[in-house]
Amino acid sequence: MLKPKKEGIGIFGGSFDPPHKGHTEISKITLKKINLKKIYWIITKKNPFKNKPFFTIEERLKKSKKILKKNINIEVLYLDDLIKSSRTIKVIKYFRKVKNQKNLYLIVGSDNLINFHKWKSWKKIVKLVKLVVFSRKGYVKKSKESLVVKYLNRKNIIFLNEKLINISSSVIKKKYSKNLK
């Protein structure tokens, strides 16, 4: 059986503060399951829903590139200065207009889906991309009952219920902070 041609592009945005194995695994699984051509990690200076980042943007970009050096289908981008924003809608418009990419997949965790309706222009986002939602422990049920899921009526949304990747940037930062003391 022939596999469909890889045409889609994945957008995996966030502060990646710091990037870790979980981010890499999510990307690899999405590339394979959705049959994407490439995934872009869009690293932003600051997530509007989080506190000040622990690591600088330069450190996060360097660490991201280092852990992805063997993954040719995953690329790190920093667009905040270029598009004058860190908002997802602006990133999507950049890929559609400048990169001429129409077949876009936005990768989010089930924890993010719960508050997705608070994102700037979220209704426009879900019209322009397909959402790929990864399971995060403690958030799966609530995310499937979210406002966004009800709005989409299960269209344009893909739930990847893979083995839970039990790692988070918050836990890594806590361990890192303890080592600094």
Side-chain angles (χ1 to χ4, degrees), residues 6-36:
K6 294 182 180 194
E7 294 177 359
I9 297 293
I11 298 172
F12 191 9
S15 54
F16 292 84
D17 187 30
H20 52 70
K21 183 182 170 193
H23 295 126
T24 308
E25 288 304 307
I26 287 168
S27 299
K28 286 179 182 177
I29 291 167
T30 305
L31 279 165
K32 186 177 177 183
K33 294 270 183 177
I34 310 296
N35 201 33
L36 298 177

Side-chain angles (χ1 to χ4, degrees), residues 32-45:
K32 186 177 177 183
K33 294 270 183 177
I34 310 296
N35 201 33
L36 298 177
K37 182 169 40 176
K38 189 170 209 127
I39 289 180
Y40 290 94
W41 284 14
I42 309 299
I43 302 179
T44 186
K45 263 186 204 168

